[in-house]
Amino acid sequence: MLLFHALLGGLLVVGAEPVGSRALLWREVRVPEAMLGDGPAGPCGGDVRIGDLDGDARVEFVVYRNLAGLKPAFIGAFDLDGEPLWTFGDPARVVTVIEEDGEERRGLEAPERPGPVAVADLDGDGRTEVLALVPAEGVERSHHWGMDGVELVLLDGATGEVKRRAVSEELRAADGYVEGDLLKANYVHLRLMICDLRGSGSPRDFVLKAGKDVFAFTGEFELLWTYECPWNRYPEHCCYIPAVGDVDGDGRDEVNLGNAVIDDNGTPMWERFLGRNNDSVLVEEWDGRPRAICSGYGHVLDERGEPIVRLGPDLVAHGQEIRCADLRADSEGPELAIRYEGHEARVMIVGQGSGVLDRFEVPASPNNTGLEVVRWHGADVPAVLYSPAALVDGHGRLVSDLPALPEASGGNQGWFHCFPADVCGDGREEVVLYDPLAASVFIYTPEPLDEAAYSGYRHTARQYNARLMD
């Protein structure tokens, strides 16, 4: 329990122990007016991605709004000064969206979930691209709960020009239905996870889960394989958002789906129902090797699917979110942080070989998701946890609030989503925050900031495969 805290020389002190550096609002970046749309709480930008789009070693931003909340139909890019770089699509485009009951509505809107856009060097030319799943040109009608009418596009990061586009009929056939039943929770988390399935030595492939189906593509938009999840009915479902990583050490990535890990060639390495509410998954280092980590009942598994850690339903009744990092100096190796009772503000910390180390409450958000690991003090110091909208350490102690951050707009998506990223180029990670239903990006850095230490923004899998769980 926090008894008191005070600022002393930039450190937040709890009792007599310094637990972190105070957050400084380094930059508020307004989404350009021409890229704003109408949201339920006023002008809004929509969902955001980050990356070095033009090769200047500074972070830039991609903002987009969607059809039916899921399919980006307008994309814009702007820089740290809020200056527009380019746009893709027509913000005034009208497409008829067909709902499950046949009702039709029209236009663009803010996202229902963070959607299928990624910023990465997908073609290996040393320059950043923007990958997106969008309604194809000429499409005038689209089902909310289906992929009909979509195409893949690869945009030049600096100019927004289309470098590649393709239609996959297999992907267009995907939807949110299983045996005639619409399973919304299993469908709405559409993410493009960048990976290396072909052993090229760089991440030049990607996977997408749309409902029960998983699709793997090369960066040239060649379909490599598809996989159908055997578990789809809530709460006994596979994960919402896949995780990628090399769990068997063969130089190629595998895909963690929670109740299965799929090899780089599309065949299951193992399939097994692990537990209810297997919402969130990772591939992170545990006991010295990349492991499949799953929120359902709290699992860490080896490449055969054998549990290294199984906490069970008594400890993890509903694993809403799971994260893995070195969070505590008094525990060997990385720890797990698990939001273990669904959409609640309670988090559990689990150590290697030592079981549950702690339970505490983190700052609450409108739907109590958005937990992220932030290397606030650099790579060699225990990380902190962001929970909208404050930072705590692995003991649950407040590291810093986020001064001058406005109230979130509220609702399912109206809270501050977080990208941990070394934006200031000094080896520490900032928190880059945006509310999809608002119109600004906020960047907080730990005090003190030495501007002279800037060595350039570095774009890694922590940014292009951001979890953005909701």
Side-chain angles (χ1 to χ4, degrees):
M1 178 180 295
L2 296 180
L3 299 179
F4 65 93
H5 63 265
L7 283 175
L8 293 176
L11 291 179
L12 188 69
V13 177
V14 178
E17 183 179 359
V19 296
S21 299
R22 179 74 173 169
L24 167 71
L25 177 57
W26 179 63
R27 192 78 62 98
E28 177 185 351
V29 185
R30 177 83 177 178
V31 178
E33 292 293 329
M35 298 181 188
L36 294 176
D38 294 326
C44 74
D47 203 9
V48 170
R49 295 292 183 269
I50 67 173
D52 179 6
L53 298 177
D54 56 8
D56 65 353
R58 302 203 315 163
V59 73
E60 284 89 35
F61 307 94
V62 173
V63 65
Y64 56 95
R65 291 191 305 284
N66 304 336
L67 275 174
L70 300 171
K71 304 163 191 172
F74 170 76
I75 305 173
F78 57 99
D79 66 16
L80 263 174
D81 299 315
E83 294 297 322
L85 299 177
W86 50 261
T87 60
F88 170 83
D90 181 357
R93 181 181 181 186
V94 175
V95 178
T96 299
V97 176
I98 306 170
E99 297 292 347
E100 58 186 297
D101 58 2
E103 181 183 352
E104 297 183 353
R105 55 192 176 90
R106 296 157 70 81
L108 288 172
E109 59 190 37
E112 293 176 3
R113 297 290 197 277
V117 173
V119 177
D121 177 14
L122 201 61
D123 60 10
D125 66 353
R127 298 167 57 87
T128 300
E129 288 84 42
V130 176
L131 172 68
L133 181 69
V134 302
E137 290 183 346
V139 168
E140 297 181 354
R141 297 167 62 85
S142 178
H143 287 82
H144 190 161
W145 304 104
M147 292 284 97
D148 55 304
V150 298
E151 67 175 356
L152 292 161
V153 295
L154 191 69
L155 309 178
D156 185 284
T159 67
E161 295 180 1
V162 177
K163 299 181 72 171
R164 185 175 298 121
R165 68 195 325 151
V167 168
S168 166
E169 295 303 333
E170 293 89 346
L171 179 55
R172 282 188 166 188
D175 57 32
Y177 292 85
V178 175
E179 299 174 345
D181 296 328
L182 177 59
L183 305 181
K184 296 181 181 180
N186 198 37
Y187 176 80
V188 294
H189 303 82
L190 299 174
R191 311 294 171 80
L192 299 165
M193 307 305 289
I194 311 300
C195 54
D196 180 10
L197 299 172
R198 294 173 290 169
S200 62
S202 61
R204 298 181 60 184
D205 310 304
F206 62 95
V207 295
L208 167 72
K209 178 179 177 290
K212 67 183 185 302
D213 300 307
V214 181
F215 302 87
F217 290 91
T218 71
E220 293 78 31
F221 295 167
E222 172 191 359
L223 181 64
L224 290 172
W225 49 261
T226 63
Y227 172 81
E228 184 174 328
C229 300
W231 296 276
N232 294 286
R233 294 186 179 274
Y234 185 88
E236 298 182 352
H237 52 270
C238 288
C239 69
Y240 293 143
I241 307 163
V244 295
D246 185 7
V247 300
D248 62 2
D250 67 352
R252 299 170 183 240
D253 285 337
E254 286 74 47
V255 182
N256 182 8
L257 295 173
N259 291 322
V261 166
I262 311 305
D263 208 350
D264 53 84
N265 61 7
T267 60
M269 295 179 65
W270 57 265
E271 292 175 307
R272 185 171 73 257
F273 178 72
L274 293 178
R276 291 158 64 94
N277 299 111
N278 211 344
D279 296 352
S280 174
V281 300
L282 307 168
V283 176
E284 294 285 352
E285 185 174 300
W286 186 268
D287 69 3
R289 290 192 53 185
R291 300 297 192 185
I293 299 174
C294 307
S295 70
Y297 295 170
H299 280 83
V300 180
L301 305 114
D302 67 16
E303 65 272 20
R304 300 178 301 277
E306 297 299 322
I308 300 167
V309 174
R310 184 184 187 275
L311 298 173
D314 291 341
L315 290 178
V316 182
H318 180 158
Q320 182 66 35
E321 293 182 286
I322 194 164
R323 298 290 181 262
C324 181
D326 179 10
L327 295 168
R328 292 172 59 131
D330 63 351
S331 172
E332 185 71 23
E335 291 81 42
L336 301 177
I338 310 173
R339 199 183 292 267
Y340 60 97
E341 290 185 337
H343 291 272
E344 300 292 338
R346 291 183 282 277
V347 168
M348 172 189 298
I349 304 296
V350 179
Q352 295 194 44
S354 53
V356 177
L357 299 174
D358 220 335
R359 294 180 179 89
F360 50 79
E361 289 201 6
V362 294
S365 65
N367 63 350
N368 283 317
T369 54
L371 194 69
E372 297 294 346
V373 167
V374 184
R375 297 186 177 119
W376 189 243
H377 305 103
D380 299 326
V381 178
V384 303
L385 293 170
Y386 167 83
S387 182
L391 300 170
V392 300
D393 72 359
H395 299 265
R397 301 173 301 199
L398 181 67
V399 173
S400 183
D401 59 6
L402 300 170
L405 190 68
E407 289 292 322
S409 56
N412 188 53
Q413 285 302 306
W415 46 273
F416 286 100
H417 300 63
C418 173
F419 288 96
D422 183 7
V423 171
C424 293
D426 60 1
R428 307 178 299 176
E429 285 185 339
E430 282 68 47
V431 289
V432 181
L433 306 180
Y434 71 96
D435 177 345
L437 305 183
S440 290
V441 176
F442 297 86
I443 304 174
Y444 288 88
T445 192
E447 290 183 336
L449 173 63
D450 180 5
E451 299 274 6
Y454 184 77
S455 60
Y457 167 73
R458 287 173 288 279
H459 196 56
T460 74
R462 284 174 55 74
Q463 290 77 50
Y464 60 71
N465 281 343
R467 304 310 302 170
L468 296 171
M469 184 66 183
D470 48 17

